Amino acid sequence: MIVYWLCFILFLTGLYGVITRRNLIKIAISLSIMEFSCFLFLALLGYTKGGEAPIVDPADPVRTYVDPLPQAMVLTAIVIGLATTAMLMAVIIRIYRKYGTFDIREIKNLRG
Amino acid sequence: MELTISVIVGFMILGAIYAIHARDILSAVIAGGIVGYSLVICFLLIKAPDLAIVQIVVETITLIIMIAVVLDSSRTEAYGRFDGQAYATAGAALVILLILFWLFRHASASLDHFGEGTLRMSDAYINGAVEKTGSVNLVTGVIFDFRGYDTLGEATVLVTAVLGVLTILRIRGRK
């Protein structure tokens, strides 16, 4: 049970970073930390005690396996997380080239 | 098992806290890498080798992108004075965190204990999946066969993201 709590504390750490930091790169890092905690939480939910990796051995098919469904979902989510992070970093580097800073307080003219 | 994973998640929390508070952006990015690579070890411990492989590749690519961005721009964190607005933001963040913590305390009552979850949905995926999909790796069977359209959508998202990055980096901004 404690590992779920630690996962959630990791999520809260990332959320704290997103809310309080003023540097765009740190906000991106905090977002990916939140992502990682969600992945770990979902993968932990599928763990079964004494389970094996979900790869069937045809010679010995009756064994306990961990749940393959959360693993497949998390696999999709990891790849999409990479796509969002790459997109985010592209936007951030554009903002830096235009404004010369990562500080969100100095980026005022975002509209238009 | 649970203790080992808890210790590793504790290290992840430490790395996250350092990444958030580091003065140098490059060290913040690398400390964020601690979190990602510890996640690989956790995935290996909870018997998810496919996730570990994908995560180690993705984390390396993310780290390379982030370090390239940091080296191309500024490394110093623009710490101004810690003014009233910063205190207000930190206070609001702590209130939100406390509310979420309280909600999770209530929600965690309905969670199964670690490692004792029942396979509610996955029985159909596990029993007979080898005959249906022809893949001994059940995760591959779920991704490419049972949920093939999901994977198609994922590929669409990837292509869209690549197009978006190319567009954003190539357009000429207004001066």
Side-chain angles (χ1 to χ4, degrees), chain B residues 6-27:
Chain B
S6 302
V7 170
I8 294 174
V9 179
F11 276 118
M12 287 165 79
I13 293 172
L14 288 182
I17 290 174
Y18 182 75
I20 287 173
H21 288 100
R23 291 266 163 171
D24 188 8
I25 300 296
L26 193 60
S27 12

Side-chain angles (χ1 to χ4, degrees), chain B residues 5 17 20 33 35 44 55 59 68-70 76 80 82 84 95 118 122 128 130 135 149 161 166 170:
Chain B
I5 296 177
I17 290 174
I20 287 173
V35 183
L44 280 178
Q55 173 66 26
E59 179 60 28
V69 168
V70 170
T76 46
F82 205 71
V95 169
T118 46
S122 314
V130 180
S135 155
Y149 284 119
L166 283 180
R170 282 171 66 108

Side-chain angles (χ1 to χ4, degrees), chain B residues 1 66 76 106 113 116:
Chain B
M1 171 61 81
M66 283 196 173
T76 46
H106 279 269
H113 282 281
E116 293 165 10

Side-chain angles (χ1 to χ4, degrees), chain A residues 1-11 34-52 54 65-75 78, chain B residues 1-10 12-13 38-49 51-52 104 111-120 122:
Chain A
M1 212 57 188
I2 188 163
V3 71
Y4 294 144
W5 282 96
L6 286 172
C7 254
F8 192 67
I9 290 172
L10 185 63
F11 181 85
M34 285 166 76
E35 264 173 29
F36 290 159
S37 70
C38 286
F39 298 159
L40 184 58
F41 183 71
L42 288 176
L44 283 174
L45 282 182
Y47 181 75
T48 316
K49 226 166 240 172
E52 307 216 11
Y65 298 111
V66 298
D67 197 344
L69 190 58
Q71 295 193 11
M73 301 286 110
V74 172
L75 198 64
I78 287 175
Chain B
M1 171 61 81
E2 188 175 4
L3 189 67
T4 320
I5 296 177
S6 302
V7 170
I8 294 174
V9 179
M12 287 165 79
I13 293 172
S38 309
L39 190 58
V40 176
I41 304 174
C42 288
F43 281 155
L44 280 178
L45 283 177
I46 59 174
K47 305 287 165 58
L51 289 184
F104 184 77
L111 280 175
D112 293 322
H113 282 281
F114 179 68
E116 293 165 10
T118 46
L119 304 177
R120 280 181 286 266
S122 314

Side-chain angles (χ1 to χ4, degrees), chain A residues 1 26 49 56 67 75 94, chain B residues 2 22 115 122 136 138 143 171:
Chain A
M1 212 57 188
K26 286 203 173 172
K49 226 166 240 172
V56 178
D67 197 344
L75 198 64
R94 282 298 294 198
Chain B
E2 188 175 4
S122 314
V136 289
L138 296 175
I143 285 182
I171 50 173

Side-chain angles (χ1 to χ4, degrees), chain A residues 1-23 25-26 28-30 32-33 35-37 39-41 43-58 63 65-87 89-94 96-98 101-103 105-106 111-112, chain B residues 1-2 5-6 9 12-13 16-17 19-22 25 28-29 32 35-36 39 42-43 45-51 54-55 58-59 61-62 65-66 69-70 72-74 77-80 83 85-86 89-90 93 96-97 100-101 104-105 108 111-117 119 121-122 125-126 130 136-139 142-143 147 150 154 157-158 161 164-165 168-169 171-174:
Chain A
M1 212 57 188
I2 188 163
V3 71
Y4 294 144
W5 282 96
L6 286 172
C7 254
F8 192 67
I9 290 172
L10 185 63
F11 181 85
L12 289 184
T13 313
L15 188 64
Y16 178 80
V18 170
I19 296 177
T20 59
R21 293 300 105 180
R22 289 155 169 180
N23 189 301
I25 294 206
K26 286 203 173 172
I29 296 172
S30 308
S32 56
I33 288 170
E35 264 173 29
F36 290 159
S37 70
F39 298 159
L40 184 58
F41 183 71
L44 283 174
L45 282 182
Y47 181 75
T48 316
K49 226 166 240 172
E52 307 216 11
I55 298 171
V56 178
D57 183 7
R63 286 190 298 185
Y65 298 111
V66 298
D67 197 344
L69 190 58
Q71 295 193 11
M73 301 286 110
V74 172
L75 198 64
T76 311
I78 287 175
V79 178
I80 291 179
L82 170 69
T84 50
T85 308
M87 192 94 183
M89 295 321 276
V91 173
I92 287 174
I93 195 73
R94 282 298 294 198
Y96 183 81
R97 290 206 185 129
K98 186 161 169 63
T101 178
F102 283 135
D103 196 337
R105 285 168 300 182
E106 294 175 22
R111 270 176 288 170
Chain B
M1 171 61 81
E2 188 175 4
I5 296 177
S6 302
V9 179
M12 287 165 79
I13 293 172
I17 290 174
I20 287 173
H21 288 100
I25 300 296
V29 168
V35 183
L39 190 58
C42 288
F43 281 155
L45 283 177
I46 59 174
K47 305 287 165 58
D50 312 271
L51 289 184
V54 172
Q55 173 66 26
V58 162
E59 179 60 28
I61 296 174
T62 311
I65 294 174
M66 283 196 173
V69 168
V70 170
D72 199 25
S73 52
S74 121
E77 162 88 285
Y79 267 117
D83 51 3
Q85 198 190 356
T89 322
I96 293 173
L97 260 50
L100 282 177
F101 200 74
F104 184 77
R105 202 172 68 89
S108 66
L111 280 175
D112 293 322
H113 282 281
F114 179 68
E116 293 165 10
L119 304 177
M121 283 187 288
S122 314
Y125 289 125
I126 293 179
V130 180
V136 289
N137 190 335
L138 296 175
V139 178
V142 171
I143 285 182
R147 293 179 180 270
D150 201 357
E154 177 197 342
V157 170
L158 268 185
V165 168
I168 290 169
L169 288 184
I171 50 173
R172 208 166 290 159
R174 274 184 296 176

